[in-house]
Amino acid sequence: MHDVNFIHTSDIHSWYLGHRGDKTNWDANIGDVVTFVEYLRDIGAPRGQDVIFIDTGDQTHGGGLSDADRPEGAQALLLHTSLPYDVLSPGNHELEKEPVARHLFEMLEAHPEIKEKYLAANVFYKPPNEPGAERRQLGSTHRIWTTGSGRKITAIGVMFENEKKTKEAGVYIEKVESIVDQKWFTEKVLTSDPDVFVLVGHMSLSAEERPKWRSIHQAIRNRYPHTPVFIFAGHTHVRECLMGMNHENPVRSLGIESGRYLETVGWVGANMTAPTQPLELSRIHIDASRETLIGLTGADASVFSQSSDNVMRPFHELARRFGLNQYIGCLKNDYPWDAKTYDENDPLHSYNLYRNVAFPDVVPPKGAGPYMLLLNNGFIRGPLYSGAFRLNDKFVNLPYDSQAFWSTRIPKMVAKKVLAELNKESSRSLHSEGSVLSAGGQRPMVQGRYMRGLIEKDGKGGNEEETCEALGDSPRLPQYWPDKYGVTDSKGVDKVEDCEDVDFVTLEFLKKRAAPVIEKLMKEFSSEQCKRPTPGAPLWQTYGNAFSGDVIKEWVQKHTVVKDDGTTKCADE
């Protein structure tokens, strides 16, 4: 323990119940994390040590506790924000859909004790389609408070600019850099004279977003050259650490991002040194297992578990009301999503199970001919585990809105070109999107008393900030995804001539991207080459017998069989 300790969660995406059946030691639930924090507070209080609990957004979308509700996350969000966090901030998943954003705004207005600590300085809400409505601050701009040990903390919260996706929801996001000129910042934040500044936000530490953090850090440094500044980031689902923002010397600032899906608990510690000396810093990204958290506190396991169970009671009650424990069927095998290098021929990968097995079995209508299926790598977000498949597993695997499939009949030679055209329009690499780590080789496993995970050095920070290598290695999360877009040929496509029509099938939201590409390619189609009339504009229609989010569920249910002897044959046996 240090003078000041920060416990950080981010991008939980409704994984409050933990990772059911996970083999990677991420079995802790949100009750375990809260109990861990409370134990640390009890340990630190007599010593004058503070423990500050922080979350940086994307609480919704990713599990049944959020996605089975309407609007998504309505009840789970209140449970989450009522936990003993000192500071929280919203993520883009709380701001991009009007019903969710409206509920969040109204919830914060109805609960001032939550609004006080829910920080979003550059985020405003105005109900759409309500003439005369005014923009109003979402949550609070900042929070100033004194800890149990007497330290004064000033916290500020921000959100990356995402207004193209949030404006229709009534959410307006101003430039992060603009907050340093606001009256509340100059007259309240810059006159607060705290012992510690805390910057939180659903915004990464990447080279693209780092200038925004630097602008706030520099505005603080202009008034307070030596006051410690700690940054807690989010959004890109990685474990990251940088120190010495704006290349300051001595180093008296540090920033981290702490993963996703309740796989990670970030811990930053600092001993308060003389103003002209570097801070004594530590940081660790803890794999979220109950055994690890108990080990770090030295708590009695049964007492720890009882305390955790008390925290979890309303979450379990909510799961019961939503029927998330409903038995659908079973799987014999695990089907990981991004925990290992993707191989399109791997039958034990959730993406391949979806496109090669479940989709052709439950979606195509009776009498359907060969098809080419366009999917992207973002509509699946989680693994499938062996054993019982319950309703919550459907939401974990496919958290987004369940959508209809759409199809259009086009010449096969046109359909074969769609993927290349889409990739041209999406030239950013996977890493630059913040969706994955670099696609290098497998990384060595590190086994330790308190950590298990894949290890990788922290990034170089563009030669502007220092890495955290001096603080020791921290295990990174593996994230290996398929290509951004993929087209799967059904049986029989190979027998269709290039000039003959084939069903081109895709998700509703991908249709918006594919349709203009297909229209462009159709204009280039050579009717002379195929000796057939030039096709007209592509006509789209709904396709199949299942919605996207129900494909795995219906396949599991269809193929799980209770045999005469009472034993169960799982769907994939």
Side-chain angles (χ1 to χ4, degrees), residues 265-278:
V265 178
W267 185 351
V268 169
N271 289 326
M272 309 299 281
T273 56
T276 57
Q277 297 297 313

Side-chain angles (χ1 to χ4, degrees), residues 58-356:
D58 270 7
Q59 294 98 11
T60 57
H61 295 134
L65 288 176
S66 162
D67 299 356
D69 206 353
R70 288 295 178 270
E72 294 99 316
Q75 297 171 77
L77 192 57
L78 180 58
L79 293 179
H80 179 99
T81 53
S82 299
L83 296 173
Y85 284 103
D86 295 289
V87 177
L88 305 99
S89 65
N92 56 295
H93 281 261
E94 284 75 66
L95 305 177
E96 292 177 356
K97 299 180 71 172
E98 193 278 332
V100 178
R102 179 188 289 269
H103 171 79
L104 173 61
F105 177 81
E106 292 174 350
M107 183 195 78
L108 295 174
E109 294 301 305
H111 295 273
E113 75 283 4
I114 298 174
K115 180 180 179 179
E116 175 192 19
K117 61 182 182 178
Y118 201 89
L119 308 185
N122 62 327
V123 182
F124 300 85
Y125 177 73
K126 182 176 78 170
N129 305 316
E130 290 188 18
E134 296 182 358
R135 290 189 188 186
R136 296 177 63 185
Q137 179 72 50
L138 181 77
S140 301
T141 56
H142 65 288
R143 183 188 180 201
I144 301 171
W145 79 101
T146 301
T147 67
S149 69
R151 292 187 181 88
K152 189 175 184 180
I153 311 292
T154 296
I156 307 157
V158 293
M159 169 72 192
F160 77 93
E161 296 94 332
N162 193 35
E163 199 168 292
K164 286 183 179 179
K165 292 187 177 180
T166 64
K167 194 171 183 179
E168 289 186 4
V171 175
Y172 299 83
I173 305 176
E174 297 183 351
K175 288 185 176 298
V176 171
E177 296 88 342
S178 70
I179 72 168
V180 301
D181 298 318
Q182 300 296 319
K183 186 176 181 180
W184 62 265
F185 188 88
T186 58
E187 295 186 2
K188 294 182 179 180
V189 169
L190 291 185
T191 61
S192 61
D193 193 21
D195 296 293
V196 173
F197 281 99
V198 176
L199 311 183
V200 303
H202 197 71
M203 185 168 75
S204 75
L205 295 172
S206 67
E208 180 182 1
E209 302 288 9
R210 210 174 308 152
K212 300 169 187 177
W213 292 117
R214 289 178 185 143
S215 67
I216 307 172
H217 175 270
Q218 190 58 55
I220 292 170
R221 280 286 172 260
N222 291 341
R223 179 71 66 91
Y224 300 98
H226 304 300
T227 302
V229 178
F230 297 94
I231 298 171
F232 297 90
H235 183 57
T236 51
H237 294 192
V238 298
R239 296 173 175 179
E240 187 61 275
C241 178
L242 294 169
M243 58 186 184
M245 191 60 65
N246 284 310
H247 211 53
E248 65 182 8
N249 187 19
V251 171
R252 296 184 66 80
S253 63
L254 182 143
I256 65 167
E257 184 175 349
S258 299
R260 56 172 192 179
Y261 304 167
L262 209 65
E263 293 169 349
T264 303
V265 178
W267 185 351
V268 169
N271 289 326
M272 309 299 281
T273 56
T276 57
Q277 297 297 313
L279 286 175
E280 293 180 5
L281 294 166
S282 71
R283 72 87 176 81
I284 185 173
H285 288 108
I286 306 167
D287 281 355
S289 81
R290 174 176 283 194
E291 181 183 0
T292 292
L293 300 181
I294 291 173
L296 284 166
T297 61
D300 177 88
S302 62
V303 176
F304 186 102
S305 297
Q306 183 177 3
S307 178
S308 173
D309 291 344
N310 290 336
V311 176
M312 289 303 297
R313 189 168 291 116
F315 290 93
H316 287 308
E317 173 59 23
L318 187 59
R320 186 194 64 78
R321 294 208 308 269
F322 289 156
L324 298 182
N325 206 38
Q326 175 190 346
Y327 178 82
I328 305 298
C330 65
L331 293 170
K332 179 182 178 181
N333 299 294
D334 290 331
Y335 295 87
W337 168 231
D338 60 1
K340 62 179 181 179
T341 302
Y342 175 67
D343 178 353
E344 65 179 8
N345 297 313
D346 181 4
L348 299 180
H349 193 284
S350 58
Y351 183 65
N352 295 340
L353 179 72
Y354 190 101
R355 67 189 184 93
N356 293 332

